[in-house]
Amino acid sequence: MTIKILALSGSSRRGSFNQKVLDISTRGAIEAGADVKSIRLADFKLPLYDADEETEHGSPDGVLGLQELVAEHDALLIATPEYNGGYTALLKNAIDWVSRPRADGSPGTALFAGKAAALVSASPGQLGGVRSQTGMRTVLEKLGVLVIPQSFALSVAHEAFTENGGMKDANAEGLLLAVGKALAGTASRLT
């Protein structure tokens, strides 16, 4: 059985450092035999979560589409940028919406339970987004996700890439590829 991984970034900026590290980790998962679908959260039109709005109008179409994608995949590969020491509002909002009840009334939280996830991040700072990963790990584990120990936080990201988008440091690239491979391996053992 081919493992299906959903790859997403908490950054809305095209060409962000976090998108670049996600793309490399995605390559590692593909090399390990996984089928990976990479999405941009900005394409889903997710308003800020509002319980009153949800009660009055239900979940927006973007939420329903994202819930369906999470349901169809065995694992999540997440790039979690660090803004002011935490994960992004875009990423948290998407997770909050997906966790809401689905159109058929089934719990959205069940979409996360039992799945594996891996975290990568990139930042111009010295910690590379590790604080963001710590916070995101807490949220995902609360939802029943097994966050694998293999992760990578790229520091000084603004100096890490060549003009064509490749990594200057082959060792760092290898570590990012290894995250994707480890996620594919863990997910295959869980399914």
Side-chain angles (χ1 to χ4, degrees), residues 102-181:
R102 299 179 72 189
D104 65 4
S106 63
T109 53
L111 297 174
F112 292 105
K115 289 190 190 307
L119 302 174
V120 294
S121 59
S123 170
Q126 292 298 316
L127 297 178
V130 74
R131 291 176 293 200
S132 172
Q133 287 186 22
T134 300
M136 185 51 46
R137 176 180 294 275
T138 300
V139 170
L140 293 171
E141 288 176 347
K142 165 74 171 86
L143 291 168
V145 176
L146 170 65
V147 182
I148 66 171
Q150 294 85 353
S151 64
F152 188 77
L154 178 66
S155 61
V156 196
H158 60 290
E159 298 177 5
F161 298 95
T162 64
E163 286 184 23
N164 67 1
M167 300 233 24
K168 291 179 181 177
D169 182 347
N171 184 52
E173 183 172 351
L175 292 170
L176 281 165
L177 290 167
V179 171
K181 290 176 183 175

Side-chain angles (χ1 to χ4, degrees), residues 42-61:
D43 293 338
F44 285 86
K45 309 286 187 237
L46 305 173
L48 286 177
Y49 177 71
D50 179 333
D52 291 335
E53 185 71 19
E54 178 190 23
T55 299
E56 293 172 22
H57 304 286
S59 294
D61 289 343

Side-chain angles (χ1 to χ4, degrees), residues 48-121:
L48 286 177
Y49 177 71
D50 179 333
D52 291 335
E53 185 71 19
E54 178 190 23
T55 299
E56 293 172 22
H57 304 286
S59 294
D61 289 343
V63 171
L64 300 176
L66 189 54
Q67 284 179 320
E68 194 60 36
L69 282 171
V70 173
E72 293 170 356
H73 289 81
D74 305 303
L76 305 169
L77 179 54
I78 301 172
T80 178
E82 186 170 296
Y83 291 3
N84 298 316
Y87 46 79
T88 64
L90 175 67
L91 185 54
K92 181 65 164 72
N93 188 54
I95 290 170
D96 289 345
W97 269 118
V98 171
S99 73
R100 302 304 302 150
R102 299 179 72 189
D104 65 4
S106 63
T109 53
L111 297 174
F112 292 105
K115 289 190 190 307
L119 302 174
V120 294
S121 59

